[in-house]
Amino acid sequence: MSGDHFGRVGGGGCVDGFPFVNDYSTLLSHSDQHGDFHGVDESFFGFSDYLLGSADAYGQLIDASVDADAFRAPASGGGGDKMIGGTTVLPVTPNSSASWSSTEAAGEEKEEEEAVVVAKEDLEDGSADKSKKVNKPRKKGEKRKREARFAFMTKSEVDHLEDGYRWRKYGQKAVKHSPYPRSYYRCTTQKCSVKKRVERSFEDPTIVITTYEGQHTHQSPATVRGAGSHILAPPPALPSGFHQELLMHQLPDVLNNNQQQQMMREFVNPNMYLPSPLQQQQQQLQFPDYGLLQDIVPPFSTN
DNA sequence: CGCGTTTGACCTGCGC
DNA sequence: GCGCAGGTCAAACGCG
């Protein structure tokens, strides 16, 4: 456990000096998948699977780098000393060679560009052949593109958490061994291919597991419209007593602080990053029970 | 009418 | 090769 601690959520609502109205305990997971992503992929899906699996296995997964007891706590419904009283962002992917260095990230972008080109060609060439419903044929041997992912658990009564972006649901699937379905969302902004999956933990139905994939290529619509503060307003549809707590977040230790911060901003909402601690404080105080994603970001913004 | 959701069908990757 | 599970598509539908 000598991993880099690049963020710590104080149990009393303090994050490295940043006051938090909620004592979010966060532990996110992230994976970067490109080339032969097997190792990383496994770590990611392993993580997901463990979330849905037994607590023991769950503990096993993170045993290598994380205090299993602390990790297990969320599944127990956050009893006792508030899940991970002081959450430590801990290294994951012990065996993973995955890295999120800027060079690799750039490589992935390139890969993605190529994918887009291919898709375009398919569209033009195969426009006449639309008999096939789904499917743009991929180059042979080409693996399905997977963008960097970023997952976190949230204790929430609502499945789809507001994060400032607009999402369109494009699918829903039953999850094996879980009574709760998994929903698939895509960012509605054109040219933005960010996706997100939302599912509920079957072990603790109060926990929502959200997985982002890809990076937004635009500003948050809400931010653009509402000059920054709009997105922080609680959604009107929130039930009374709405409560959500971010349970976990985890970033690979191969990232340095700057990269982690960057990821957080890109994955979640780049506009939620507020350079001024005072602004952060004001916003958080203003909306104590909402905006989990905003609340994730500050801890990583404190360098 | 535009936008978002629902839902069944289809495709892909992977393990056996 | 086959079956399963995850992921995606798109028509149909609902809502404001």
Side-chain angles (χ1 to χ4, degrees):
Chain A
M1 288 295 285
S2 52
D4 299 88
H5 290 195
F6 53 85
R8 178 174 279 276
V9 177
C14 240
V15 180
D16 286 348
F18 285 96
F20 269 67
V21 280
N22 284 343
D23 57 342
Y24 292 136
S25 297
T26 59
L27 185 61
L28 281 83
S29 106
H30 159 266
S31 79
D32 172 28
Q33 306 170 357
H34 46 86
D36 177 15
F37 348 100
H38 252 281
V40 189
D41 213 11
E42 279 169 9
S43 84
F44 176 80
F45 284 111
F47 179 76
S48 260
D49 290 344
Y50 278 102
L51 291 182
L52 298 172
S54 72
D56 282 341
Y58 193 12
Q60 260 181 3
L61 169 71
I62 42 94
D63 224 12
S65 57
V66 182
D67 177 356
D69 287 334
F71 208 83
R72 251 185 230 118
S76 69
D81 52 348
K82 240 351 181 176
M83 297 166 292
I84 318 172
T87 297
T88 306
V89 179
L90 296 156
V92 66
T93 65
N95 296 322
S96 169
S97 59
S99 77
W100 240 79
S101 69
S102 53
T103 48
E104 288 195 46
E108 185 165 271
E109 273 180 20
K110 191 181 169 190
E111 243 185 352
E112 193 184 337
E113 272 180 22
E114 288 171 2
V116 170
V117 170
V118 170
K120 257 188 187 171
E121 288 170 354
D122 289 340
L123 210 70
E124 288 162 3
D125 294 345
S127 56
D129 189 309
K130 284 277 177 176
S131 52
K132 256 189 286 176
K133 206 164 138 193
V134 193
N135 240 12
K136 303 138 194 175
R138 293 184 181 86
K139 280 181 183 173
K140 264 179 190 168
E142 190 177 7
K143 288 194 177 181
R144 179 190 295 241
K145 292 279 175 279
R146 287 214 189 271
E147 311 229 3
R149 289 185 181 177
F150 179 85
F152 57 87
M153 297 167 68
T154 309
K155 198 176 181 72
S156 170
E157 294 172 21
V158 294
D159 286 344
H160 193 191
L161 303 167
E162 191 59 47
D163 58 6
Y165 289 99
R166 296 184 63 206
W167 301 93
R168 174 188 166 90
K169 189 175 186 177
Y170 67 88
Q172 177 171 311
K173 287 286 285 188
V175 180
K176 200 185 173 190
H177 300 138
S178 171
Y180 306 101
R182 173 183 299 145
S183 298
Y184 299 88
Y185 297 88
R186 209 193 316 267
C187 183
T188 58
T189 304
Q190 278 188 347
K191 295 179 185 172
C192 180
S193 58
V194 176
K195 293 170 198 165
K196 124 175 151 176
R197 291 188 312 213
V198 177
E199 65 188 274
R200 211 166 261 283
S201 165
F202 83 94
E203 279 205 334
D204 185 348
T206 66
I207 293 176
V208 175
I209 302 167
T210 306
T211 305
Y212 287 86
E213 182 173 334
Q215 298 177 21
H216 290 287
T217 60
H218 57 96
Q219 292 196 327
S220 157
T223 302
V224 171
R225 273 201 313 270
S229 63
H230 171 76
I231 56 171
L232 297 175
L238 283 182
S240 64
F242 170 83
H243 179 60
Q244 64 185 30
E245 294 177 77
L246 203 53
L247 296 178
M248 315 197 320
H249 67 131
Q250 191 167 13
L251 294 169
D253 57 343
V254 293
L255 299 182
N256 61 36
N257 278 7
N258 285 338
Q259 288 169 325
Q260 287 158 359
Q261 291 171 23
Q262 168 97 17
M263 268 186 51
M264 292 296 289
R265 291 195 289 269
E266 288 174 348
F267 268 113
V268 179
N269 183 345
N271 305 297
M272 287 177 181
Y273 170 65
L274 301 167
S276 155
L278 177 62
Q279 283 176 302
Q280 291 177 6
Q281 181 174 349
Q282 284 172 343
Q283 289 209 354
Q284 285 152 10
L285 288 174
Q286 206 170 348
F287 305 105
D289 281 329
Y290 175 66
L292 74 114
L293 296 175
Q294 296 94 306
D295 289 330
I296 307 176
V297 178
F300 298 87
S301 309
T302 65
N303 236 356

